[in-house]
Amino acid sequence: MDLQELLGMASNFQEARVLLIAHDLGVFDAVGSGKGARRLAGYLGASPRGTRILLDCLVAVGLLRKRGSRYYNTGTAKAYLVSTSPHYMGPVLKLNGYMWERWSRLGEAVREGHLPKAEREFISDPVKNRNFILAMDLLGRDTAMKVARRLDLRGVRRVLDVGGGPGHYSMALVERSPRIEAVIVDLPLTLRVARELIERRGMGGKVRTREGDFFDPQCDLGEGYDLALASNILHIEDSAHNLDLLRRIYGALNPGGTVVVNEILVDATRARPKEAALFAINMLAATARGNVYTKAEISSWLREAGFMDIKTVRLDGRSTLLMGKRP
Ligand SMILES: C[S@@+](CC[C@H](N)C(=O)[O-])C[C@H]1O[C@@H](n2cnc3c(N)ncnc32)[C@H](O)[C@@H]1O
């Protein structure tokens, strides 16, 4: 890395902050079909000086256009940053804003090993939880469809979706194979959002919800499932909790049933790929014991839990499936 790259790294928070603050202030909605700075300042309830400087910077980074003294949304802003757009990414930006607050306390997390006050806020604070789950839906829909396409669903009727969040994986499976009935086990606040999304897609009869803390050894996951998904949940906890959860998933499956773990994997150096190493930082700032894991670690938990024929399918840089069969 040369000096320019190093200095770039030291300041690359700037554009992110400009985007997140502009979205929080409601700039992209307020711009509408084009407005001047003074009028926009009035709309936003912000100072004329601050608004003008922010608007010009949004032009500089490519999110607004300026013609004369009026500002307009670019195509990208119209598609993803205006709240009435069908492709609105607001919840993802909000989630990044919450992460920003935690990442600002990273020094404390490194010193203490965790950030007690930030833990569980995405699952216990109703506003943050709703945003988190809506963001999971927006970020995960494509992967959910890829997963549904990659799995062998012959003979699969009952699916357990542990920590299914917004229900996008369950719904993708039902879409691919309408015989399937899925049960999402998750926490009450999350399930409130999930039920809304499931009803909106008319899948209430096929995707049901079951409240429970799946890391609690007493949590009843149900039984008689042909397939169990554990997608993006093992990074929340440590080896002991993950092994215990996989054992209970084993118990909930029918003989011949399959468990599918979906995770972002880190390689044996634990420093590659960069996305996984950064995701581990996110878990340090958000959980008491979470982390990213290697293929060898997850495979060994699967074997220890009793699963056989462990197979790995790499979907993309952020998602690898590890599958095992209950004999
Ligand atoms: C990162 S999201 C994963 C959502 C989805 N499975 C996916 O792959 O996109 C983690 C999910 O686990 C749920 N969760 C976290 N801790 C939990 C716990 N102890 N018991 C039940 N659900 C939990 C959250 O509510 C959230 O829906």
Side-chain angles (χ1 to χ4, degrees):
M1 178 187 301
D2 64 24
L3 178 60
Q4 284 317 309
E5 286 169 320
L6 173 72
L7 295 178
M9 185 188 283
S11 63
N12 72 11
F13 64 93
Q14 294 180 358
E15 289 189 31
R17 206 50 182 142
V18 166
L19 165 59
L20 297 181
I21 287 297
H23 174 257
D24 271 356
L25 288 170
V27 169
F28 305 104
D29 278 352
V31 163
S33 54
K35 285 191 183 68
R38 187 158 284 280
R39 198 147 156 246
L40 274 166
Y43 256 79
L44 303 175
S47 72
R49 173 177 183 250
T51 304
R52 220 179 315 110
I53 291 175
L54 178 64
L55 293 170
D56 286 334
C57 187
L58 289 166
V59 174
V61 299
L63 294 171
L64 294 183
R65 278 183 297 115
K66 189 177 182 182
R67 248 188 273 134
S69 58
R70 288 169 79 87
Y71 296 87
Y72 301 85
N73 284 315
T74 59
T76 304
K78 265 189 215 154
Y80 303 116
L81 301 174
V82 172
S83 63
T84 49
S85 163
H87 309 293
Y88 179 54
M89 285 286 148
V92 177
L93 271 75
K94 283 257 178 240
L95 177 63
N96 282 5
Y98 301 151
M99 279 164 58
W100 185 288
E101 289 165 21
R102 293 173 177 182
W103 284 56
S104 297
R105 295 171 57 209
L106 193 54
E108 195 184 329
V110 171
R111 280 192 299 275
E112 305 297 326
H114 63 139
L115 284 180
K117 285 202 195 101
E119 272 161 32
R120 298 184 74 87
E121 67 177 4
F122 284 178
I123 52 180
S124 55
D125 175 313
V127 175
K128 289 186 173 169
N129 174 268
R130 185 177 172 78
N131 247 297
F132 172 54
I133 296 306
L134 293 176
M136 290 301 105
D137 185 42
L138 291 167
L139 294 172
R141 262 188 228 163
D142 285 352
T143 312
M145 285 191 292
K146 273 192 213 166
V147 170
R149 280 197 294 267
R150 288 302 283 265
L151 297 179
D152 180 357
L153 299 177
R154 282 173 299 177
V156 174
R157 289 196 185 276
R158 296 198 65 230
V159 170
L160 167 65
D161 188 358
V162 187
H168 44 353
Y169 283 76
S170 285
M171 290 191 273
L173 290 172
V174 170
E175 251 167 24
R176 227 206 95 203
S177 177
R179 290 188 315 263
I180 287 179
E181 289 189 1
V183 178
I184 301 173
V185 176
D186 210 301
L187 297 167
L189 285 180
T190 294
L191 290 181
R192 225 194 271 170
V193 184
R195 281 192 285 267
E196 209 180 295
L197 297 173
I198 293 164
E199 288 309 323
R200 206 182 289 166
R201 286 176 63 184
M203 293 220 182
K206 288 289 186 176
V207 180
R208 286 179 296 113
T209 58
R210 186 177 180 127
E211 290 181 5
D213 174 344
F214 54 66
F215 281 121
D216 175 353
Q218 305 306 318
C219 175
D220 182 5
L221 299 171
E223 57 184 8
Y225 301 102
D226 307 304
L227 184 92
L229 263 179
S231 175
N232 294 311
I233 56 169
L234 298 187
H235 57 243
I236 300 169
E237 269 296 352
D238 60 9
S239 313
H241 285 82
N242 287 334
L243 177 57
D244 176 64
L245 174 60
L246 290 171
R247 284 195 168 120
R248 287 182 287 115
I249 289 176
Y250 181 96
L253 281 168
N254 288 325
T258 305
V259 66
V260 180
V261 169
N262 178 23
E263 279 295 329
I264 179 166
L265 295 185
V266 69
D267 78 6
T269 68
R270 306 203 86 86
R272 280 190 306 249
K274 185 168 79 180
E275 292 72 24
L278 286 168
F279 193 68
I281 294 280
N282 206 31
M283 290 301 103
L284 171 65
T287 65
R289 292 171 292 272
N291 206 342
V292 287
Y293 297 105
T294 65
K295 177 176 156 184
E297 284 167 325
I298 298 177
S299 304
S300 77
W301 301 333
L302 286 169
R303 271 191 295 274
E304 229 176 297
F307 292 102
M308 298 178 70
D309 300 335
I310 316 287
K311 289 195 184 73
T312 308
V313 176
R314 188 171 186 276
L315 287 183
D316 52 47
R318 288 205 77 87
S319 292
T320 301
L321 306 182
L322 288 101
M323 297 179 271
K325 280 228 170 289
R326 175 178 170 164

